Amino acid sequence: MMAILTGLLYLGLIVEPRTAVQAEHLPKPIIWAELCSVFALHTPVIIWCQGSYEAREYRLYKGRSVDPWDTQFPLEARNKAKFNIQCMTIAYAGIYKCYDKSDAGFSEHSDAMDLVVTGAYGNPNLSVWPSPDVTSGVFIAFMCSSHIGFGRYILIQEGKHHLLWILDSQYQDNYSFQAMFVVDSFTPKHNGTFRCYGFFKNKPQVWSNSSDPLDLMVSDAKERSPTHTEDETPSSHHQGHTVENLIRMLLAALVLVTLVMVLLEAWTFKKVEQDSTRR
């Protein structure tokens, strides 16, 4: 999920250490946070860096700093090191990269990893239109809003799909800031729980508390189609429609006959009146 954030949040390039020759043959290390990359305030965090078996030490860099945030020696496995954060705070949120160092020099840096903290601000409100229970093919609009002036909102689906959307907020007349996530391709496989968070554009790894969870239920359109009851078979419905049509035709014929009789009577009366005038 954080791979998507990397392209949307600000990009920080760490100045690579050049105190030693970079070893071209060393593999690019891999960096990750244990369990996930999004952590609530005050929770412990473990960051791993895995590189070459020839590595003698691992260095972790945060943001644009040219000085290592931490340095660790390899574990017994020799090709990785562990960096511990005892208690997650806003100060630890940011972009991290790691290097490993061997006798030949430094490896190239790992890919960037966004480490996100949640709970820094109050939770936004999340709602959905037209309702949390819809059929396939109906467009859905998620609304995330707050009176806190968040610059952006992020909508996340929990579970195996890890769907994620990010939108800039819009100021509303009711002094709230909101974003509307419109989706028109949801199917029953997207059923699940959604949450949204707010954050400021200058601190993209510092998020608010989560909104209350919203459970979405999408069903196939055919499952919602009307069904006949046990006492109403298709043939009985056809017979019913035939009787209704016959009654309508008889009523129309009756109205037509009545209209003809009225016109005929009027014509006869006018004819008699004209004959009387001539005499």
Side-chain angles (χ1 to χ4, degrees):
M1 181 176 70
M2 290 302 105
I4 304 175
L5 284 177
T6 303
L8 297 171
L9 307 179
Y10 78 90
L11 298 177
L13 299 178
I14 301 172
V15 178
E16 299 183 16
R18 295 295 182 180
T19 55
V21 177
Q22 183 170 325
E24 295 181 358
H25 67 282
L26 291 178
K28 180 180 180 179
I30 302 170
I31 188 172
W32 74 94
E34 197 167 282
L35 299 180
C36 67
S37 295
V38 180
F39 294 89
L41 279 171
H42 313 308
T43 57
V45 178
I46 296 176
I47 299 174
W48 291 93
C49 185
Q50 180 175 333
S52 169
Y53 283 99
E54 301 174 11
R56 292 185 175 271
E57 68 178 44
Y58 288 85
R59 296 185 181 184
L60 185 66
Y61 288 77
K62 180 177 181 290
R64 299 175 181 270
S65 175
V66 296
D67 298 319
W69 179 78
D70 194 7
T71 301
Q72 293 291 331
F73 297 107
L75 299 175
E76 294 181 0
R78 298 295 301 172
N79 69 329
K80 61 182 177 181
K82 180 169 68 172
F83 301 87
N84 291 291
I85 298 175
Q86 298 297 329
C87 182
M88 186 65 177
T89 65
I90 294 175
Y92 291 120
I95 298 176
Y96 289 82
K97 296 179 181 179
C98 72
Y99 300 77
D100 63 65
K101 181 183 178 183
S102 68
D103 293 338
F106 284 98
S107 69
E108 62 176 308
H109 63 73
S110 68
D111 291 333
M113 180 193 72
D114 290 277
L115 192 64
V116 176
V117 63
T118 66
Y121 319 104
N123 60 302
N125 298 312
L126 178 62
S127 59
V128 63
W129 188 92
S131 77
D133 187 5
V134 296
T135 57
S136 296
V138 176
F139 83 88
I140 299 171
F142 292 93
M143 180 72 71
C144 196
S145 63
S146 173
H147 289 289
I148 302 174
F150 296 124
R152 288 189 178 128
Y153 288 103
I154 180 167
L155 177 68
I156 296 176
Q157 182 189 22
E158 298 178 349
K160 61 182 180 180
H161 295 292
H162 296 301
L163 297 178
L164 179 150
W165 300 265
I166 296 178
L167 280 180
D168 288 349
S169 67
Q170 302 293 327
Y171 178 72
Q172 303 299 312
D173 292 337
N174 60 353
Y175 304 105
S176 68
F177 296 80
Q178 68 180 33
M180 181 180 292
F181 302 83
V182 179
V183 186
D184 59 1
S185 59
F186 269 19
T187 64
K189 70 178 183 180
H190 295 115
N191 289 340
T193 301
F194 290 78
R195 298 176 185 268
C196 78
Y197 300 82
F199 62 88
F200 296 97
K201 293 181 180 180
N202 63 336
K203 294 182 179 179
Q205 290 87 21
V206 180
W207 295 1
S208 68
N209 277 317
S210 162
S211 67
D212 290 336
L214 190 153
D215 295 322
L216 182 71
M217 177 63 68
V218 182
S219 58
D220 285 324
K222 61 183 180 181
E223 296 177 0
R224 295 292 187 89
S225 61
T227 57
H228 301 295
T229 62
E230 294 180 357
D231 297 330
E232 295 178 334
T233 62
S235 60
S236 64
H237 276 273
H238 177 71
Q239 293 174 0
H241 288 309
T242 302
V243 173
E244 290 177 3
N245 292 335
L246 182 59
I247 293 174
R248 291 193 184 98
M249 291 175 64
L250 290 175
L251 289 174
L254 181 60
V255 171
L256 181 60
V257 169
T258 303
L259 180 61
V260 170
M261 292 178 64
V262 170
L263 291 174
L264 183 60
E265 184 178 357
W267 180 83
T268 303
F269 177 79
K270 188 174 182 180
K271 182 69 173 175
V272 171
E273 187 178 29
Q274 291 176 349
D275 292 342
S276 299
T277 304
R278 290 173 182 174
R279 292 175 185 175

